[in-house]
Amino acid sequence: TQLLKQSPQFLSIQEGENLTVYCNSSSVFSSLQWYRQEPGEGPVLLVTVVTGGEVKKLKRLTFQFGDARKDSSLHITAAQTGDTGLYLCAGLYNFNKFYFGSGTKLNVKP
Amino acid sequence: DAGVIQSPRHEVTEMGQEVTLRCKPISGHDYLFWYRQTMMRGLELLIYFNNNVPIDDSGMPEDRFSAKMPNASFSTLKIQPSEPRDSAVYFCASSLTSEDQPQHFGDGTRLSIL
C-alpha cells in the first residue's frame, strides 16, 4: 500500500509550458519533501514544507503544502529542458519515517 | 565535501550468489538509510540506522536481506542467497541529527540477478 500517490505518472511537455504535479494522501504528514532524480543518480532534495498552507518558491518552482497537511503540489513555470527528471514527494509520517511517492516522470522537449 | 559513496555502481551475478552492497555516509551524519527502487514499487525504505544502531528494519523483504553498520563511516547491505526478483537499484542515504532532515543520497548500486 502506497501512502503517497503522485499524479500524473508521466508528463511530456514543450519547453516554455507550465505544469503542476500532485502528491496526495489520506494521511497527515509532519512535513513533506520534494526531490528530483536524474537518470543514474540518487534523488536530490528540492524543498521541505512543514506548515499547513505553506508556499515556498525556488526560482521557477512553487511548492505548496495543503492546509490539512495531507497533500502537496509542485508547479513549474516556463519549463526548461533541464527540468527533465523524476519528481518524488516524501512525507514524514508519525514523526519517525519518510514514505516516498511513486514519482512523476517529467520530460521537457526542446 | 564528498557525498554519500556507494559501491559497486553495478553488480551482475547469478541467482543463489551472495551480494554485498557498501555505503559510506557523509561524515557527521547520524542517520543512514537503505532504499530499493524499482519501476513497479518505486522507492522503498528497507532499513535505517541512528548512530550505528538499527532503528526500523520493517521494510527488509525477508531473512535473505541483512544490513550492518559496524561504525559511523560504513554500512553494508547483504543479500544471501540472491534471487532474480531482487534486481533493482539500491540507494543509501544519510542525514543529520533526525529523521526529518534532508536525506543525501548516493548514486545507487544497480543490481541484476540472472
Side-chain angles (χ1 to χ4, degrees):
Chain A
T1 306
Q2 207 134 40
L3 233 59
L4 283 165
K5 290 193 176 173
Q6 289 189 242
S7 60
Q9 274 188 289
F10 302 96
L11 192 53
S12 184
I13 60 170
Q14 292 294 138
E15 200 167 26
E17 291 183 12
N18 301 334
L19 66 115
T20 303
V21 299
Y22 300 93
C23 175
N24 293 293
S25 176
S26 56
S27 301
V28 176
F29 291 96
S30 316
S31 63
L32 195 137
Q33 296 178 342
W34 283 93
Y35 289 79
R36 190 174 92 203
Q37 184 180 15
E38 299 192 24
E41 298 181 8
V44 175
L45 180 72
L46 295 173
V47 79
T48 301
V49 285
V50 179
T51 308
E54 183 176 1
V55 176
K56 278 193 175 176
K57 292 196 175 189
L58 190 67
K59 296 183 182 175
R60 293 174 295 101
L61 277 59
T62 302
F63 305 85
Q64 183 156 13
F65 201 12
D67 290 341
R69 290 186 288 131
K70 292 182 180 181
D71 53 80
S72 181
S73 63
L74 157 59
H75 181 80
I76 302 179
T77 303
Q80 299 176 357
T81 55
D83 296 327
T84 292
L86 177 68
Y87 288 81
L88 295 160
C89 63
L92 180 64
Y93 183 66
N94 231 16
F95 290 97
N96 69 359
K97 199 155 79 175
F98 268 111
Y99 289 88
F100 277 81
S102 50
T104 292
K105 198 164 187 177
L106 173 65
N107 179 35
V108 182
K109 296 177 282 189
Chain B
D1 283 340
V4 174
I5 299 171
Q6 292 186 247
S7 64
R9 286 300 312 273
H10 303 273
E11 174 96 15
V12 180
T13 192
E14 293 187 346
M15 68 176 288
Q17 297 297 307
E18 179 180 289
V19 173
T20 300
L21 311 181
R22 296 172 176 80
C23 175
K24 177 178 166 55
I26 293 173
S27 177
H29 281 193
D30 293 334
Y31 285 79
L32 184 140
F33 307 82
W34 280 102
Y35 288 90
R36 178 172 68 177
Q37 187 175 40
T38 61
M39 288 289 291
M40 290 294 293
R41 300 174 69 90
L43 197 62
E44 300 175 279
L45 178 65
L46 300 177
I47 185 172
Y48 76 92
F49 295 82
N50 178 21
N51 291 322
N52 313 339
V53 176
I55 302 300
D56 186 338
D57 65 355
S58 59
M60 295 286 261
E62 45 197 278
D63 291 346
R64 297 184 297 105
F65 285 68
S66 62
K68 291 182 181 178
M69 193 163 184
N71 58 63
S73 58
F74 184 65
S75 177
T76 59
L77 178 68
K78 194 170 287 190
I79 309 173
Q80 166 64 15
S82 57
E83 295 183 4
R85 61 192 166 120
D86 302 331
S87 298
V89 182
Y90 290 81
F91 287 100
C92 175
S94 68
S95 70
L96 280 167
T97 65
S98 65
E99 291 92 335
D100 64 343
Q101 291 295 306
Q103 294 182 39
H104 299 261
F105 284 79
D107 285 337
T109 294
R110 183 172 292 276
L111 178 63
S112 296
I113 308 296
L114 306 177

